Amino acid sequence: MQPFVYRNDELYCEDVPVSRLAAEYGTPLWIYSKAFLRHQLGQIQQAFAAAEPVICYSVKANSNLGILQVMHEAGSSFDVVSGGELYRVKAAGADPTKVVFAGVGKTDEEIRFALENRILMFDVESEAELDAISRIAAELGVVGPIALRLNPDIDAKTHAKTTTGKKGNKFGMDIERFQELADKVLRDPHLELLGIHMHLGSPILTTEPYELAGRKAVEVVQSLRAKGHNIRWLNLGGGFGISYRQNEGPAASVYAEVIVPAAREAGCRLVLEPGRFVVGNSAVLVSRVVFTKREGGKLFVIQDGAMNDLIRPAMYDSFHRLWPVRPQVAMPENVEGEIPGCEKTDVVGPICESSDYFAKDRCLPPLKRGDLLATFSAGAYGMSMSSNYNSRPRAAEILVDGSSVKVIRRRETYADLVAHELPE
Ligand code: LLP
């Protein structure tokens, strides 16, 4: 499904011209396709149906209430990593009893908040956390539902900053500690071990890491049952890759081919925590060219979108397709390398750091002040990682549904920037 297409030499989101939205709501501007969000979630729901999954959309990828509502209405549950994310899930009208809660540093307040809301389970990452959940569950007179997070020491071949399932990462625990804690849970009336959790990294473009994790899980589930645990859930986390460049992102069914058999063999229902796969290609970030300049033998296009909006290029050297909203040259399949009629360009923002760029040495059609540029695949870890750095108000977010348009976050004002500050 292609929510963003060029028609009559102009970019559309579903049935709405992107330039119309930019004129009406200003730039930089996030534009999301509702149909695409539903389509991506549907792909996962269908592909994994045989494992009776609870799909827990990973809130960290994009936590806007409007997006969470679309997910909830389409039958998704949620993966949270903070009390704030749980609060958002509730505010979106979703049922917290199917929520899973991961993260290495859950505070007592967050644990209490989650227990009071009867979440499905905690993904427990350490013995200290296990003890904290037990203590707070005892205080509340409830049983803490948990999965233990295994660090399976599998190399998912992601960016060093987003790998999580390798020995030496801060996440989860090795198999020896995992088994010790499983024994400890058996002796604790305030805890129940319901499942096993692994998250290997993000994004993962091959199925091999999941296949290895699935095999490991089957073994571990059998050993836990032998000890007397009633294990019902296998949670293999998130991490499904998407196409940032061309068609490198596998279909959901490709991942399902290796994951569903493992869940069935383990005799468990499946939990998945997809974030990027669902929301990544649902959005573009539209920016306007402020100036262009040639300096040091380079052409710089300076736009109003910056690293405070989309930090991924600065943080992970990540690649995003970029193309004018009204191009003089049609966007080719492959935007890397030489393109006739185009010139190597550095697309940068106004922030006072050299890391404030969206693309370097990228062949782009001629651009001038006032032109609009779309940055593609911006829906995941875009707005959710944005900041007010350089005192830049955060951009507005728009949800498009066919020809209808909804503002799901208004643009921040200068007054918003100082609203929480308490000067003398
Ligand atoms: N579950 C757990 C426990 C996670 O840590 C993550 C992501 C997910 C699920 C969702 O992963 P996804 O399906 O979205 O790949 N900011 C980085 C990505 C960081 C991912 C952190 N954990 C980026 O922009 O690439």
Side-chain angles (χ1 to χ4, degrees), residues 194-339:
L194 304 177
I196 142 171
H197 179 236
M198 285 183 243
H199 169 78
L200 308 171
S202 169
I204 302 172
L205 286 163
T206 59
T207 55
E208 202 201 350
Y210 291 103
E211 200 172 348
L212 294 172
R215 247 183 261 150
K216 184 98 206 164
V218 171
E219 242 175 70
V220 175
V221 167
Q222 279 163 359
S223 74
L224 293 174
R225 289 208 181 110
K227 290 182 196 215
H229 290 286
N230 181 7
I231 303 297
R232 282 153 271 171
W233 297 98
L234 169 58
N235 181 346
L236 284 183
F240 297 169
I242 62 165
S243 300
Y244 281 103
R245 295 167 187 270
Q246 290 187 64
N247 292 311
E248 72 272 24
S253 57
V254 173
Y255 295 106
E257 265 169 44
V258 300
I259 293 176
V260 170
R264 295 189 112 181
E265 200 182 332
C268 288
R269 283 187 67 187
L270 189 65
V271 177
L272 289 172
E273 304 169 344
R276 187 188 321 263
F277 184 90
V278 177
V279 80
N281 272 319
S282 73
V284 294
L285 174 62
V286 183
S287 309
R288 200 176 282 282
V289 176
V290 183
F291 298 120
T292 64
K293 73 181 212 181
R294 289 186 191 270
E295 208 47 67
K298 295 200 104 178
L299 169 61
F300 292 95
V301 165
I302 303 155
Q303 57 169 18
D304 58 7
M307 69 187 282
N308 75 298
D309 301 300
L310 180 68
I311 203 175
R312 301 192 70 255
M315 195 151 174
Y316 316 111
D317 293 316
S318 57
F319 181 94
H320 286 260
R321 272 181 304 129
L322 269 164
W323 207 253
V325 167
R326 284 183 163 147
Q328 293 167 29
V329 177
M331 182 167 70
E333 272 283 289
N334 181 2
V335 296
E336 296 171 80
E338 300 291 327
I339 303 167

Side-chain angles (χ1 to χ4, degrees), residues 153-231:
D153 195 22
I154 290 172
D155 184 359
K157 303 201 168 51
T158 63
H159 190 282
K161 287 185 181 161
T162 58
T163 191
T164 51
K166 274 288 286 170
K167 192 171 175 176
N169 297 143
K170 70 176 175 181
F171 301 99
M173 57 194 89
D174 65 20
I175 188 67
E176 288 76 28
R177 179 154 344 256
F178 183 102
Q179 294 291 7
E180 272 170 41
L181 294 196
D183 293 341
K184 193 167 176 179
V185 172
L186 279 178
R187 303 189 296 270
D188 189 330
H190 302 294
L191 294 173
E192 185 180 12
L193 183 59
L194 304 177
I196 142 171
H197 179 236
M198 285 183 243
H199 169 78
L200 308 171
S202 169
I204 302 172
L205 286 163
T206 59
T207 55
E208 202 201 350
Y210 291 103
E211 200 172 348
L212 294 172
R215 247 183 261 150
K216 184 98 206 164
V218 171
E219 242 175 70
V220 175
V221 167
Q222 279 163 359
S223 74
L224 293 174
R225 289 208 181 110
K227 290 182 196 215
H229 290 286
N230 181 7
I231 303 297

